[in-house]
Amino acid sequence: MFKRLYIHNFRCLQNLEVPIGDKPSVLLIGKNGTGKSTISHALALLADLARGTNRVGQLVKPGDFAHGRTDELMRFEVDVELSGRIHQYRLTLELPPGFKELRVQSEELLVAGQPIFTREHAQVTLHKASRAAAFLVDWHLIALPIIQEQSESDPLFLFKRWLAHSVIVAPIPSLITEESSGEALWPERDARNLGAWFAGLISHSPRVYTTIDGYLKALWADFWDIQNPLLGAETRSLKVQFRDGQRSLSLPFGALSDGEKCFFLCALVLAANEAYGPIFCFWDEPDSHLAIDEVGHFVMALRRSFESGGQVLMTSHNPETIRRFSDENTLLLSRRNHLEPTRIRSLEEIGVEGDLIEALLRGDVEA
């Protein structure tokens, strides 16, 4: 579970600490351009690190510095609680004059306050029980994906596995079709590989089909089955079957509506939280393709699923979603103009009087 997320000098975010704390579900609200989606991009960057992307230039570009301030360091810091111990990861990037690609200035991972590895520029030091071992790494490569774990109980392995299984999505339903190739351990940001992710989840943990099936049957009274047959050596075609009495209908997944695809994606998120252990999920505007009367069920199903383990962070502009979060669990992002940094505070701290939605419509609430 995320305890702390700090981002500095990345796009519109400067010296920003997201106060997630130990809350299982948190809602981010705020006007367009305040940095809600930028937070998801920072989280996706960290997840890509754990999945093996190690070259800085594949993760961030010089244009990602806030207002072009390349003379300042770019920082990413996370505190995560796993197995009762706090894992702290710090990554600092720089762009020296004349360079076209960012490089690592410093990097470290601490567990329960004890260093697992530290890094200054090119030198990485592994802190083992018996002795410290140092080696050199290209300044343009990040050490976290490179360092080998000793076992599955290694804190480094636990941290990387948890981070790699993070689900960061801002789905574009029109890109999600029935055809897929191979299997995937996690969805792409736009969820276009949903079929491959479904295949990967079922292959990794067949029992989670029950979770997917149960969620969809509670949602759609005529839902019957999901099929994902092979069409060739690698290609599959996802089909959804419906039944009402003696009548039945089989639809290719691409024929479902945008909202129906998002409900299916929600079922996979719930299944992933069960299959991979408690996971972290960031869903950018999960309600954007739903009818008004569908929003409440959708949001509360997500929140309930993560109450017993894991953590979900959402963004929304929808009043129906906002009403389903307490002031304590709602964070407001705001900035006065494009030249000012984003600020963030909980609604509980701001202390909104009267109807929150009306206050937001009037523009009376600022962080």
Side-chain angles (χ1 to χ4, degrees), residues 10 18 21 29 31 33 49 56 92 100 103 119-120 171 192 195 216 230 240 291 301 321-322 337-338:
F10 178 66
V18 184
I29 63 173
K31 296 179 180 178
L49 277 179
V56 178
T92 304
K100 295 183 179 180
R103 67 184 190 183
R119 175 182 183 174
E120 289 293 333
R192 70 175 66 204
L216 294 177
L230 277 169
V240 184
T321 298
I322 296 172
N337 56 57
H338 288 83

Side-chain angles (χ1 to χ4, degrees), residues 57-129:
Q58 294 179 284
L59 298 165
V60 290
K61 307 294 183 185
D64 287 324
F65 280 97
H67 306 302
R69 293 174 182 165
T70 57
D71 57 325
E72 287 189 35
L73 299 173
M74 185 184 293
R75 299 180 184 273
F76 302 93
E77 301 179 3
V78 294
D79 292 2
V80 177
E81 183 176 358
L82 301 173
S83 301
R85 298 200 294 175
I86 301 297
H87 295 58
Q88 299 172 295
Y89 179 66
R90 310 284 184 258
L91 176 64
T92 304
L93 306 174
E94 63 182 4
L95 184 68
F99 278 59
K100 295 183 179 180
E101 184 179 351
L102 284 77
R103 67 184 190 183
V104 178
Q105 196 262 359
S106 66
E107 184 182 6
E108 66 178 8
L109 175 66
L110 290 79
V111 176
Q114 299 301 311
I116 302 300
F117 78 87
T118 55
R119 175 182 183 174
E120 289 293 333
H121 303 299
Q123 180 164 309
V124 178
T125 303
L126 302 178
H127 299 269
K128 300 181 179 180

Side-chain angles (χ1 to χ4, degrees), residues 267-330:
L268 298 195
V269 170
L270 305 189
N273 195 34
E274 182 179 337
Y276 300 137
I279 66 167
F280 173 80
C281 172
F282 187 108
W283 195 326
D284 201 357
E285 298 188 29
D287 47 32
S288 59
H289 299 283
L290 304 182
I292 292 175
D293 61 345
E294 294 174 330
V295 171
H297 171 84
F298 186 91
V299 171
M300 294 312 297
L302 266 176
R303 295 194 68 188
R304 281 194 297 269
S305 173
F306 284 87
E307 284 177 356
S308 58
Q311 196 172 37
V312 60
L313 190 58
M314 311 179 204
T315 73
S316 182
H317 298 282
N318 192 308
E320 293 301 316
T321 298
I322 296 172
R323 288 190 178 103
R324 282 164 173 78
F325 281 81
S326 67
D327 288 357
E328 179 187 6
N329 290 68
T330 304

Side-chain angles (χ1 to χ4, degrees), residues 217-248:
K217 282 183 175 175
L219 179 67
W220 300 322
D222 59 347
F223 172 77
W224 182 252
D225 193 16
I226 310 163
Q227 293 184 340
N228 197 28
L230 277 169
L231 299 182
E234 289 286 333
T235 306
R236 292 181 178 273
S237 182
L238 195 61
K239 298 179 184 294
V240 184
Q241 293 185 316
F242 300 93
R243 181 172 294 184
D244 182 16
Q246 298 300 313
R247 298 180 302 164
S248 64

